[in-house]
Amino acid sequence: MEKIRIAIIGIGNCASSLIQGIYYYKDKKPDDAIGLMHWEIGGYKPSDMEIVAAFDIDARKVGMDVNEAIYASPNCTCIFCPDINPCGVKVEMGCLLDGVAPHMADYPEDHTFTVSKEPEKSKEEIVRILQETRTEILLNYLPVGSEKAVRFYAECALEAGCAFINCMPVFIVSDPEWAARFKEKGIPMVGDDIKAQIGATITHRTLANLFKERGVKLERTYQLNTGGNTDFLNMLNRNRLDSKKESKTEAVQSVLGERLDPDNIHIGPSDYVPWQKDNKLCFLRMEGKTFGDVPMNIELRLSVEDSPNSAGCVIDAIRCCKLAMERSIGGQLTSISAYTMKHPPEQFTDDVAVEMVDEFIKGKRER
């Protein structure tokens, strides 16, 4: 089978984990392929992907081979597949717009971005690169709050005829106007805001659904997260967090039998702790009442390596997106978005989303 041809916007920790994973699983067999939700989707294995173009704005990455750039600062995720050979794809200078928060300039160079002096690419130049490299799927890993930049690259995808997977919380796929434009052109899209395999949001959703199914009334809850990667540093600017908080909060509210008053639910990034690097800590508390109005509560501490955790979902989103292209399906992909994203076009409980994805893989129409 031909490789799935992917272009990536933002060669940060998430891109590093995904690219490492493509090589890591190359020599694996189904029985020892730990960490995958699906070994094969539509005949495509994790290694059946090829990075054909990449965009970034950091001087330490622009101009480098993408397989070398994934290890450059400020990336700090764990290296589980070292010494990957160069692939011959150069990281191109992208378009900055609002991709870097102003406060990032106040931190040491190895913690933040060093903007390249290379000329920024225009939309026409990026579209040309996507077309010349025969990119099939454009994968967005821009920082939280990059509203203008995400819309810019979504326009590039539309013009170049590429499918679009939006891994961050600017609402493109879940926006009916954007969805209509992609559907009109017959281009599939998956989004918005990637979940982790076992992360803060999916754990919170699972427990919230458990409360509902076991007849426990959830009265109050919070989810506080800390981390030391550039994502958490970027999110110290609270002005960039509106869509992130909405995405994470709605992911939990959507599975509750009765929505909580905004004063009784708090979900969002809490603080930046540099020495944590790509490790994310989640502190979760849920308070409710059980039989006889007797109070109970749960407190949980979750520790995960943030970027590999999301790569496990992206690798399924890419392959389902490819299936949609082969089947000439355009617009929102409801099932894989509900399965892998925090703010999909339509929310479903996770058990239902799993069934929907399995049905889609087998060739059934989206619900």
Side-chain angles (χ1 to χ4, degrees):
M1 299 179 70
E2 290 189 357
K3 301 278 189 180
I4 305 172
R5 301 175 69 83
I6 303 163
I8 300 180
I9 310 158
I11 309 302
N13 287 310
C14 290
S16 176
S17 293
L18 175 64
I19 293 171
Q20 287 185 67
I22 291 171
Y23 290 89
Y24 179 80
Y25 288 105
K26 184 176 180 181
D27 298 320
K28 299 286 185 182
K29 293 183 171 58
D31 292 343
D32 63 350
I34 296 170
L36 292 171
M37 297 183 292
H38 293 89
W39 167 248
E40 188 176 295
I41 293 178
Y44 293 100
K45 303 179 183 65
S47 58
D48 291 328
M49 303 178 191
E50 181 180 8
I51 309 304
V52 297
F55 303 92
D56 206 286
I57 52 83
D58 196 297
R60 291 159 293 187
K61 297 173 183 176
V62 173
M64 289 186 69
D65 187 280
V66 69
N67 283 3
E68 297 171 331
I70 60 174
Y71 305 118
S73 294
N75 291 6
C76 59
T77 192
C78 68
I79 298 173
F80 57 88
C81 189
D83 304 321
I84 298 173
N85 291 329
C87 65
V89 175
K90 183 180 76 171
V91 179
E92 301 279 356
M93 179 64 182
C95 186
L96 181 58
L97 295 170
D98 55 356
V100 178
H103 77 278
M104 304 282 271
D106 300 330
Y107 287 82
E109 187 178 276
D110 61 342
H111 287 223
T112 185
F113 302 103
T114 303
V115 178
S116 173
K117 294 180 181 178
E118 290 283 327
E120 294 181 42
K121 291 281 191 298
S122 65
K123 183 175 76 170
E124 292 72 22
E125 289 173 308
I126 290 172
V127 169
R128 176 181 55 78
I129 291 169
L130 295 175
Q131 291 176 335
E132 288 179 352
T133 57
R134 296 185 292 118
T135 295
E136 296 176 289
I137 299 172
L138 183 58
L139 183 61
N140 174 36
Y141 276 136
L142 284 169
V144 170
S146 305
E147 299 275 341
K148 294 178 182 176
V150 175
R151 288 178 170 80
F152 170 84
Y153 282 105
E155 290 284 0
C156 292
L158 266 174
E159 193 161 326
C162 302
F164 191 64
I165 298 180
N166 183 32
C167 296
M168 48 82 68
V170 170
F171 303 141
I172 300 292
V173 181
S174 52
D175 182 322
E177 291 186 12
W178 277 102
R181 294 178 66 193
F182 273 80
K183 186 170 185 177
E184 183 181 359
K185 284 204 167 188
I187 303 171
M189 57 197 314
V190 180
D192 300 299
D193 196 11
I194 194 71
K195 289 177 186 172
Q197 279 178 285
I198 301 294
T201 298
I202 193 73
T203 301
H204 206 160
R205 280 170 59 92
T206 300
L207 288 172
N209 191 55
L210 180 66
F211 271 53
K212 179 181 69 175
E213 291 184 347
R214 304 298 288 184
V216 178
K217 179 176 175 56
L218 180 64
E219 295 188 319
R220 284 180 295 275
T221 186
Y222 67 63
Q223 180 198 126
L224 306 176
N225 303 314
T226 66
N229 56 28
T230 50
D231 193 35
F232 276 88
L233 176 57
N234 169 64
M235 290 187 291
L236 287 180
N237 183 337
R238 296 315 198 217
N239 293 328
R240 297 172 71 91
L241 277 183
D242 288 348
S243 59
K244 184 68 174 177
K245 286 182 65 65
E246 179 183 342
S247 175
K248 289 175 72 66
T249 302
E250 185 58 30
V252 176
Q253 289 274 37
S254 67
V255 298
L256 300 177
E258 182 179 341
R259 294 176 70 90
L260 292 174
D261 184 275
D263 289 343
N264 291 325
I265 181 169
H266 178 85
I267 300 176
S270 182
D271 214 342
Y272 170 65
V273 183
W275 58 261
Q276 280 185 230
K277 296 188 176 180
D278 197 40
N279 183 256
K280 177 178 179 178
L281 293 180
C282 163
F283 302 91
L284 178 63
R285 182 176 175 88
M286 304 175 72
E287 298 180 3
K289 286 185 178 175
T290 183
F291 190 81
D293 277 349
V294 177
M296 58 81 65
N297 67 75
I298 290 176
E299 287 200 354
L300 177 147
R301 178 185 182 274
L302 173 68
S303 173
V304 293
E305 194 77 2
D306 205 18
S307 301
N309 214 0
S310 72
C313 288
V314 172
I315 215 157
D316 279 14
I318 290 169
R319 292 180 288 173
C320 284
C321 201
K322 174 65 173 177
L323 287 190
M325 296 171 68
E326 292 177 344
R327 298 170 186 170
S328 300
I329 300 171
Q332 302 162 327
L333 299 185
T334 307
S335 59
I336 192 62
S337 293
Y339 184 51
T340 61
M341 301 287 169
K342 298 185 187 80
H343 197 275
E346 190 173 355
Q347 292 277 9
F348 294 90
T349 58
D350 296 292
D351 55 338
V352 171
V354 170
E355 292 177 5
M356 291 170 62
V357 169
D358 288 341
E359 289 173 359
F360 175 78
I361 292 170
K362 291 173 184 176
K364 295 183 180 179
R365 295 178 62 86
E366 296 268 46
R367 295 188 189 180

